[in-house]
Amino acid sequence: MTREWVALGTVCVLLGSNLFGLIYSMLVLKTNIFKSFRIQSKSYQASIFSKRMPLFVFNFIILISVAGVGSYLIYDSIDTSFIPIWMIGLQILFAFIIDDIWFYFFHRWLHENKFMLKNIHSIHHRATTPFPLEYLYAHPLEWMLGMIGVVIAFALILVVMPINVYALWGFGLLRNLHEIHIHSDLELPGFSKIPFLSKTKHHDDHHSKLAGNYASTFNWMDRIFKTTFKK
Ligand SMILES: [Zn+2]
Ligand SMILES: [Zn+2]
């Protein structure tokens, strides 16, 4: 697999997951098929999607540029062979854990630092009743700083072994799908059965109550540091 194919694959993973996010958003906003699974009863503003669109596009361009160029540049550190599936799974799990630790402290700081909350993070919190693609709706500075966790995670993997391309793509895909889903305002059956994984309600409460629940992928960081939102 050439350098170009690795970069193209990364871009395709992000295009695909965000296309899914777009369809998911349309189903949530324009139809009633998920109505019985909604967490909040508030209805969405009619023009909410077009209001959010410019920043969605801007941040999506940042995302595919950073990820596409990044995977092109680190090609020499990427292993493109098929390795046992458990090793791919282990790299993905490790990346999720490190990324979530970064996200927890970064996100908590965005709330505890009043300047950052007022001028930067308040943009993401315009969504009190989020819909899937609003995971992209954040100040571009917050959006880019949020990616540092992924860089740290893969840099740490690199200390021990090469980054496997399927782990890189798998992580990108699953992380995006999870981010899209936790902004859906939907509690779908099945997802609540996965242990330690943060449910939509966890992040939805963060958006509607603006307190606690700072982690994204898992819920253990909030449990350890006693920042789980309690009614
Ligand atoms: Zn927040
Ligand atoms: Zn959010």
Side-chain angles (χ1 to χ4, degrees):
M1 195 185 296
T2 65
R3 190 181 285 270
E4 288 74 18
W5 279 109
V6 168
L8 186 66
T10 304
V11 170
C12 286
V13 162
L14 298 175
L15 276 171
S17 53
N18 281 283
L19 180 63
F20 168 80
L22 177 65
I23 296 166
Y24 197 5
S25 298
M26 286 302 137
L27 292 174
V28 167
L29 292 173
K30 309 283 183 199
T31 75
N32 284 327
I33 61 171
F34 291 124
K35 205 176 173 191
S36 58
F37 300 111
R38 283 201 60 194
I39 295 166
Q40 299 183 48
S41 52
K42 266 196 283 179
S43 51
Y44 293 102
Q45 277 177 47
S47 58
I48 192 72
F49 190 84
S50 45
K51 265 192 185 171
R52 302 296 195 232
M53 194 65 179
L55 193 52
F56 284 169
V57 173
F58 190 75
N59 281 343
F60 179 64
I61 291 170
I62 293 176
L63 177 66
I64 53 170
S65 305
V66 170
V69 172
S71 57
Y72 184 89
L73 292 176
I74 63 162
Y75 177 77
D76 293 334
S77 306
I78 293 179
D79 163 28
T80 58
S81 63
F82 286 106
I83 58 172
I85 192 90
W86 67 267
M87 280 182 72
I88 295 174
L90 207 61
Q91 285 199 6
I92 292 174
L93 180 64
F94 181 78
F96 265 118
I97 292 170
I98 300 299
D99 176 48
D100 203 47
I101 293 171
W102 165 262
F103 185 80
Y104 175 84
F105 289 113
F106 170 57
H107 187 196
R108 194 171 158 180
W109 174 69
L110 288 175
H111 280 264
E112 290 176 351
N113 183 305
K114 296 304 163 203
F115 176 85
M116 293 303 284
L117 180 62
K118 184 169 180 273
N119 297 290
I120 306 289
H121 194 47
S122 59
I123 293 178
H124 186 61
H125 278 287
R126 283 179 195 166
T128 52
T129 311
F131 65 87
L133 269 191
E134 278 185 314
Y135 94 98
L136 277 169
Y137 197 76
H139 190 291
L141 179 67
E142 175 184 335
W143 184 244
M144 286 188 283
L145 292 175
M147 294 177 192
I148 290 176
V150 180
V151 175
I152 296 171
F154 282 102
L156 287 174
I157 290 175
L158 210 48
V159 173
V160 186
M161 62 177 85
I163 299 161
N164 185 265
V165 72
Y166 301 104
L168 186 72
W169 291 344
F171 171 78
L173 180 69
L174 293 173
R175 185 181 189 270
N176 260 15
L177 294 179
H178 182 259
E179 280 292 311
I180 286 166
H181 180 58
I182 62 169
H183 287 90
S184 66
D185 189 48
L186 301 177
E187 203 64 278
L188 297 178
F191 284 85
S192 53
K193 300 281 185 290
I194 306 171
F196 301 112
L197 195 71
S198 116
K199 319 290 184 287
T200 305
K201 179 95 171 74
H202 184 263
H203 197 62
D204 201 273
D205 277 349
H206 177 73
H207 274 269
S208 62
K209 314 289 192 301
L210 204 67
N213 296 2
Y214 300 114
S216 169
T217 308
F218 305 108
N219 53 31
W220 58 49
M221 290 296 286
D222 284 300
R223 288 192 194 175
I224 292 168
F225 291 99
K226 299 188 171 31
T227 50
T228 302
F229 171 74
K230 290 179 189 72
K231 283 189 183 112

